[in-house]
Coordinates of all heavy atoms in Angstrom, one line a residue:
I46 N 4.0 -3.0 -40.0 CA 5.1 -3.7 -40.6 C 6.4 -3.0 -40.3 O 7.4 -3.6 -39.9 CB 4.9 -3.7 -42.2 CG1 3.8 -4.6 -42.6 CG2 6.2 -4.2 -42.9 CD1 3.3 -4.5 -44.0
N47 N 6.5 -1.6 -40.4 CA 7.7 -0.9 -40.3 C 8.2 -0.9 -38.8 O 9.4 -0.9 -38.6 CB 7.5 0.6 -40.7 CG 7.3 0.7 -42.2 OD1 7.5 -0.2 -43.0 ND2 6.8 1.8 -42.6
E48 N 7.3 -0.8 -37.9 CA 7.6 -0.7 -36.5 C 7.4 -2.0 -35.7 O 7.6 -2.0 -34.4 CB 6.9 0.5 -35.8 CG 7.2 1.8 -36.5 CD 6.5 3.0 -35.8 OE1 6.0 2.8 -34.7 OE2 6.4 4.0 -36.5
K49 N 7.0 -3.1 -36.4 CA 6.8 -4.4 -35.8 C 5.9 -4.3 -34.6 O 6.2 -4.7 -33.4 CB 8.2 -5.0 -35.4 CG 9.1 -5.3 -36.5 CD 10.4 -5.9 -36.1 CE 11.3 -6.3 -37.3 NZ 11.6 -5.1 -38.2
L50 N 4.7 -3.8 -34.8 CA 3.7 -3.5 -33.8 C 2.6 -4.6 -33.8 O 2.3 -5.2 -34.8 CB 3.1 -2.1 -34.0 CG 4.1 -1.0 -33.9 CD1 3.4 0.3 -34.3 CD2 4.8 -0.9 -32.6
E51 N 2.0 -4.7 -32.7 CA 0.8 -5.6 -32.5 C -0.5 -4.8 -32.7 O -0.6 -3.7 -32.2 CB 0.9 -6.3 -31.2 CG 2.1 -7.2 -31.0 CD 2.2 -7.8 -29.6 OE1 1.3 -7.5 -28.8 OE2 3.1 -8.6 -29.3
Y52 N -1.5 -5.4 -33.3 CA -2.7 -4.7 -33.6 C -3.9 -5.2 -32.7 O -4.0 -6.4 -32.5 CB -3.1 -5.0 -35.1 CG -4.4 -4.5 -35.6 CD1 -4.6 -3.3 -36.2 CD2 -5.5 -5.4 -35.4 CE1 -5.8 -2.9 -36.6 CE2 -6.8 -5.0 -35.9 CZ -6.9 -3.7 -36.4 OH -8.2 -3.3 -36.9
S53 N -4.7 -4.3 -32.2 CA -5.9 -4.7 -31.6 C -6.9 -3.6 -31.9 O -6.6 -2.4 -32.2 CB -5.7 -4.8 -30.1 OG -5.4 -3.5 -29.5
S54 N -8.2 -4.0 -31.9 CA -9.3 -3.0 -32.3 C -10.5 -3.2 -31.4 O -10.9 -4.3 -31.2 CB -9.7 -3.3 -33.8 OG -10.8 -2.6 -34.2
N55 N -11.0 -2.0 -31.0 CA -12.2 -1.9 -30.2 C -12.2 -2.9 -29.0 O -13.3 -3.4 -28.7 CB -13.4 -2.2 -31.1 CG -14.0 -0.9 -31.7 OD1 -13.4 0.2 -31.4 ND2 -15.0 -0.9 -32.5
V56 N -11.1 -3.0 -28.4 CA -11.1 -3.8 -27.1 C -11.8 -2.9 -26.1 O -11.7 -1.7 -26.1 CB -9.6 -4.0 -26.7 CG1 -9.6 -4.7 -25.3 CG2 -8.9 -4.9 -27.7
T57 N -12.6 -3.6 -25.3 CA -13.3 -2.8 -24.2 C -12.4 -2.0 -23.4 O -11.3 -2.4 -23.1 CB -14.1 -3.8 -23.3 OG1 -15.0 -4.6 -24.1 CG2 -14.9 -3.1 -22.3
N58 N -12.8 -0.8 -23.1 CA -12.1 0.2 -22.3 C -10.9 0.8 -23.0 O -9.9 1.2 -22.3 CB -11.7 -0.4 -20.9 CG -12.8 -0.9 -20.1 OD1 -13.9 -0.4 -20.2 ND2 -12.6 -2.0 -19.3
S59 N -10.9 0.8 -24.3 CA -9.8 1.4 -25.1 C -10.1 2.9 -25.3 O -11.2 3.2 -25.8 CB -9.6 0.7 -26.4 OG -9.1 -0.6 -26.3
G60 N -9.2 3.7 -24.9 CA -9.4 5.2 -25.0 C -8.5 5.9 -26.0 O -7.5 5.4 -26.3
L61 N -8.9 7.1 -26.4 CA -8.1 7.9 -27.2 C -6.8 8.3 -26.4 O -5.7 8.5 -27.0 CB -8.8 9.2 -27.6 CG -10.0 9.0 -28.5 CD1 -10.7 10.4 -28.7 CD2 -9.6 8.4 -29.8
L62 N -6.9 8.4 -25.1 CA -5.8 8.6 -24.2 C -5.7 7.4 -23.2 O -6.7 6.9 -22.8 CB -6.0 9.9 -23.4 CG -6.0 11.2 -24.2 CD1 -6.4 12.3 -23.2 CD2 -4.7 11.5 -24.8
E63 N -4.5 7.0 -22.9 CA -4.3 5.9 -22.0 C -4.8 6.4 -20.6 O -5.4 5.6 -19.8 CB -2.8 5.5 -21.9 CG -2.3 4.9 -23.2 CD -2.9 3.6 -23.6 OE1 -2.8 2.6 -22.9 OE2 -3.6 3.6 -24.7

Side-chain angles (χ1 to χ4, degrees):
I46 294 169
N47 293 346
E48 301 183 17
K49 298 180 174 58
L50 301 174
E51 298 174 358
Y52 171 95
S53 64
S54 171
N55 271 359
V56 175
T57 302
N58 303 330
S59 292
L61 297 175
L62 297 171
E63 299 294 295

